[in-house]
Each structure stands twice: as C-alpha cells, then as structure tokens.
Amino acid sequence: MSGLLPIADGIISALTEHGLHVRGVAHFPDGQGGPALSDGRQALSVVLIGNIGGSLWETFSDWREKCWDRGGTDPLDTWSKEVIGEIAGRSGATAYYPSDQPYQPFQQWAMKAEGLRASPLGILIHPQYGLWHGYRGALGFAEDVTEERVPPDDIDICGQCPDKPCLSTCPATAVFLDRFDVARCRFHLVTTEGKAGCMSSGCLARTACPVGSMYRYPEAQLRFHMEALRLPAG
Ligand code: B12
C-alpha cells in the first residue's frame, strides 16, 4: 500500500518489522460515520493494520517465548497493543483494537477501504489473500492521510466461485450462502469430530476455499485461533 502522506508513511516501515501491514485506509468525509478520536473529534481517516497470511506469526511467537506468562490470557491482543500502541503514540493517532468493547466495525471499515465483501463464512474475502488475513488494529487521524484516493475494486469473488466448496465442506453444516450459523459451528467444535477436525487443523470450510490458498496460516497459528474461541467444555 502506498500513497500515504508523510504523517502516516512511517507507519508502514514500523509495522513491517513486526510482520504487520497497512490494510487500506477508510475515509470519513467531514468525520461523518468515523470513530471518535481520543481528543473527542471525529476521525477523518482510519488506517487499518493487519496480517497477510502468516506474516505476524514468527515475530509474535518470538515475543511470546520471551514473556514469563507467555503473553497472558489474550497474548495476540496484548502483543498487538504493544506494537500498534507505540506507533500510535509516535504518530499522534488514536488506536482501536478489534477485540476491545464496544466493538469497532472493523469489517465495515475494511469494506470501505479495500472494497472487500463478506464470504459465506462471515470472514471478508480478499482477491489475493482469500480468507487468510485479519485485522490487529487501526489508527484514527483527524486529517486525510492519503495523497490520492483510488476507489477500491468491487469484485464479487464468492458470487463468481463455481463450486463454492465452503458450503459443502463444513462438517457442522453451519455455512450458508447468506449466513454463517455461529451456534452450529460452536456446537460442532466441542464434539469428538470437531476436536479432531477443525479444532486441530483450522476451520475446514475456510481451508476448502480455493482463493489465496498459498496464504493459509501455519498449523500452529490455525490451532491458536481456534483455541482462542474459548469454547465451553464438551
Ligand atoms: C464477536 C466476533 C466473533 C464471534 C461471533 C461473530 C458474530 N456473530 O458477530 C465469534 C467468536 C464466533 C467469532 C468467530 C470467528 N471470527 Co470473529 N470477530 C468478532 C469481533 C470481535 C466482533 C464482531 C462485531 O460484532 N463487530 C461489530 C460490528 C458493528 O462490526 P461490523 O464490521 O459491522 O461487523 C461485521 C461482523 O459482525 C460480521 N459478522 C456477522 N456475523 C459473523 C460471524 C462470523 C463468524 C464472522 C467472522 C463475522 C460475522 O458482519 C458484520 C459485517 O458488517 C470481530 C472484530 C470486530 N471488531 O469487528 C471479529 C472478526 C469479525 N472475526 C474474525 C475471524 C477471523 C473469526 C474466526 C475465523 C477466527 C478463527 N477461529 O480463526 C472465527 C470464525 C468462526 C470459525 N469457524 O472459526 C475477523 C475477520 C477477519 C476478516 N478477514 O474478515 C475479525 C474482523 C477479527 C480480526 N481480528 O480480524 N468472531
């Protein structure tokens, strides 16, 4: 991603060493619909930050190894706050995090920034990275931080997918064209089949998607995200 003004340009290099990437900029002309900044004003632009495939896994794992408590209860959130919080402080931005309540509309921001659409799994699908990307934070600015705005492409990737293997692969039958049944998914994950399948090797429906399969997360990261769902004992 290029075309950022110097105020936000330094963010890209600061992120790269941590395996994170700028994942587009959402604009809110006149602050309409933008999140509140720490000084009470509305953000005019929000820079999205995230992982592409397994880009963050090595740096995050190294950091975790060095923590006496392995990063605590929510290690990925803690690490993200350390890395992104420091960059926010340096650039005078307000930081937002996807797991903080009240939830900020990260997926709506990403749709605005990159023109992405939701897949039947609820995860946004990217033309290159498929379902193998996520968001670790965002930085809100009172000004427009882009040099030029290129309208994002709007491609209906899932609509053009001839076989839609995500719909037929889900062992819980939780994936439908127009919705993802979270309860069915969670119920399945605590069964013996669920533990041996999705819980140990990552969501099978996500893996069945043919788009961006080379960006699939490493096995350890797949297990980490599944375990982070914190399912009731079953
Ligand atoms: C709560 C939550 C969940 C809940 C339920 C979701 C629900 N019913 O709304 C649970 C715990 C089940 C969940 C699961 C997962 N989630 Co989730 N989740 C969130 C969270 C923290 C808040 C969602 C929200 O309410 N946002 C507030 C509203 C106002 O924002 P929004 O942009 O309008 O929200 C969109 C979502 O709610 C979406 N949506 C609605 N239903 C569902 C269901 C699922 C499963 C998902 C993924 C999205 C989704 O529709 C809205 C579109 O406008 C977001 C982070 C965030 N701040 O958005 C991540 C987020 C949506 N999840 C994400 C992911 C990746 C997952 C998992 C795949 C994680 C994993 N295990 O690997 C799983 C999917 C299930 C599976 N098979 O593994 C990513 C999606 C990234 C992307 N590329 O789009 C996000 C953005 C987190 C991140 N750090 O990147 N999730």
Side-chain angles (χ1 to χ4, degrees), residues 149-212:
R149 279 191 229 163
V150 184
D153 294 335
D154 178 22
I155 318 163
D156 184 8
I157 302 167
C158 298
Q160 291 169 13
C161 175
D163 301 329
K164 301 191 187 358
C166 61
L167 302 182
S168 53
T169 305
C170 174
T173 336
V175 189
F176 300 90
L177 209 47
D178 56 350
R179 76 191 161 89
F180 177 71
D181 191 328
V182 174
R184 277 185 98 116
C185 167
R186 304 201 93 178
F187 183 78
H188 171 78
L189 294 178
V190 295
T191 63
T192 309
E193 192 196 345
K195 283 177 192 161
C198 298
M199 283 307 285
S200 63
S201 49
C203 170
L204 295 175
R206 191 178 191 181
T207 297
C209 176
V211 184

Side-chain angles (χ1 to χ4, degrees), residues 23 51 76-77 97-100 102-111 116-118 121-126 130-137 180 182 185-186 189 198 202-206 217 221-222 224-229:
R23 298 293 320 284
N51 60 291
L76 189 53
D77 291 337
Y97 302 99
S99 306
D100 278 1
Y103 294 137
Q104 295 287 351
F106 267 79
Q107 290 188 304
Q108 286 182 43
W109 291 347
M111 291 185 213
L116 306 185
R117 292 196 194 191
L121 281 165
I123 308 167
L124 300 181
I125 188 155
H126 186 280
L131 303 175
W132 304 109
H133 65 108
Y135 302 93
R136 296 309 332 150
F180 177 71
V182 174
C185 167
R186 304 201 93 178
L189 294 178
C198 298
C203 170
L204 295 175
R206 191 178 191 181
Y217 295 165
Q221 184 175 359
L222 287 168
F224 173 88
H225 289 304
M226 295 308 289
E227 281 159 18
L229 289 174

